């Protein structure tokens, strides 16, 4: 079986739950066709550099997939029919990277720094 990294951009006016439901649909399609999804990362609603189908933002998701090429072709066919999907990119890779993507790793580091600092006291700053 082949290894793929698959990125999906979906419309800005769907909810985060609908974007994650789209990921679940992709996962189901892959599993029905004899493959497996090793990792799903939902990156959230992000700004686009330029408009895509009149959208300024999009929900991004990254999937690490191990499946036969026919299963990936079926996923791409289904995505081309889906009105909520703006763009997708499938890249065949030599090995799957199961670590956090740099985007999510940076967010996690920022959260840890916030926890180390402790709660903010805005009243004390305003009084000073």
């Amino acid at each position: 079986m082949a290894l793929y990294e698959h990125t999906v951009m979906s419309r800005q006016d769907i909810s985060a739950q609908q974007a994650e439901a789209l990921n679940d649909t992709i996962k189901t399609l892959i599993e029905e066709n004899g493959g497996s999804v090793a990792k799903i990362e939902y990156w959230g609603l992000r700004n686009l550099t330029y408009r895509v189908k009149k959208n300024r933002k999009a929900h991004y998701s990254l999937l690490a997939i191990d499946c036969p090429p026919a299963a990936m072709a079926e996923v791409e066919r289904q995505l081309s029919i889906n009105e909520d999907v703006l763009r997708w990119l499938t890249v065949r890779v030599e090995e799957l990277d199961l670590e956090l993507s740099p985007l999510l790793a940076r967010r996690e580091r920022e959260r840890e720094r916030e926890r180390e600092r402790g709660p903010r006291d805005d009243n004390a700053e305003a009084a000073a």
Side-chain angles (χ1 to χ4, degrees):
M1 286 199 275
L3 304 174
Y4 300 97
E5 284 188 356
H6 183 72
T7 306
V8 180
M9 292 171 36
S10 52
R11 291 183 316 141
Q12 66 186 1
D13 54 344
I14 66 172
S15 68
Q17 290 80 17
Q18 288 173 309
E20 291 186 13
L22 178 64
N23 294 339
D24 293 336
T25 303
I26 294 170
K27 181 179 180 182
T28 303
L29 276 170
I30 294 293
E31 290 173 349
E32 287 175 354
N33 290 301
S36 64
V37 177
K39 172 178 81 168
I40 298 177
E41 288 185 2
Y42 173 67
W43 291 350
L45 188 64
R46 301 183 50 81
N47 291 323
L48 298 173
T49 304
Y50 55 89
R51 285 186 177 193
V52 177
K53 296 184 182 177
K54 300 182 182 178
N55 290 278
R56 293 181 182 273
K57 295 182 178 190
H59 293 274
Y60 280 78
S61 296
L62 173 72
L63 293 89
I65 300 171
D66 180 11
C67 69
M72 202 68 233
E74 176 62 18
V75 167
E76 290 180 347
R77 187 185 77 77
Q78 292 290 331
L79 291 177
S80 68
I81 295 170
N82 193 329
E83 294 177 355
D84 291 335
V85 176
L86 298 175
R87 296 272 198 283
W88 72 88
L89 176 67
T90 306
V91 179
R92 190 167 178 172
V93 294
E94 293 295 320
E95 105 182 38
L96 293 177
D97 183 15
L98 299 178
E99 296 179 13
L100 281 178
S101 64
L103 176 76
L104 290 184
R106 181 177 34 153
R107 284 185 188 168
E108 189 62 32
R109 284 193 306 270
E110 289 172 359
R111 285 186 193 133
E112 288 176 13
R113 286 187 197 131
E114 289 295 322
R115 282 187 220 124
E116 290 172 1
R117 288 185 198 155
R120 289 181 49 180
D121 189 12
D122 290 335
N123 295 333
E125 291 176 10

